Amino acid sequence: MIQLDEEGALADFYYQMSWNEYVATEPAISPTEAYEQVKQGNFEQYVPFEEGDKLYVTQCERSCCYDTKGFYQPVYEFSGYINNSENLWVCQIPARKT
């Protein structure tokens, strides 16, 4: 991230790099098991579903993200839409077996 002064010159440069360190290998769930979690509604969503909403899942990709403790973990990212193709939807299901 950079910050410029009033004349457009570089005033501040913030370089944040996270160095990941290998900790352990953990067993992972399958994409089918992750999809079952979606079907059961076991995911966080900002705007709650309303009665009669229909969820369409169009894609599943394996990705990684940082969890709340700072660990970089694998997730399944499901995407699609709710009710119509203009109302996009995405959720992440942790791939780590619990």
Side-chain angles (χ1 to χ4, degrees), residues 10 14 25 31 34-36 38 48-49 52 56 58 60 62 65 72-73 75-76 78 81 87 90-91 97:
L10 182 64
Y14 181 67
T25 299
Y35 183 63
E36 285 300 317
V38 173
F49 287 110
Y56 295 86
T58 58
C60 173
R62 186 139 174 202
C65 70
Y72 199 55
Q73 69 168 350
V75 295
Y76 289 103
F78 291 90
Y81 57 93
N87 192 12
V90 175
C91 85
K97 277 192 179 186

Side-chain angles (χ1 to χ4, degrees), residues 7-69:
E7 298 167 0
L10 182 64
D12 191 21
F13 181 77
Y14 181 67
Y15 180 74
Q16 180 181 0
M17 184 68 108
S18 295
W19 297 101
N20 295 327
E21 179 180 320
Y22 174 80
V23 176
T25 299
E26 297 285 338
I29 63 174
S30 70
T32 303
E33 291 171 297
Y35 183 63
E36 285 300 317
Q37 295 295 315
V38 173
K39 285 172 43 177
Q40 294 172 19
N42 294 336
F43 57 88
E44 303 242 347
Q45 181 163 316
Y46 183 70
V47 178
F49 287 110
E50 294 181 11
E51 190 173 332
D53 279 346
K54 201 167 200 182
L55 175 63
Y56 295 86
V57 177
T58 58
Q59 190 170 356
C60 173
E61 292 183 0
R62 186 139 174 202
S63 182
C64 289
C65 70
Y66 287 99
D67 66 12
T68 57
K69 296 178 183 168

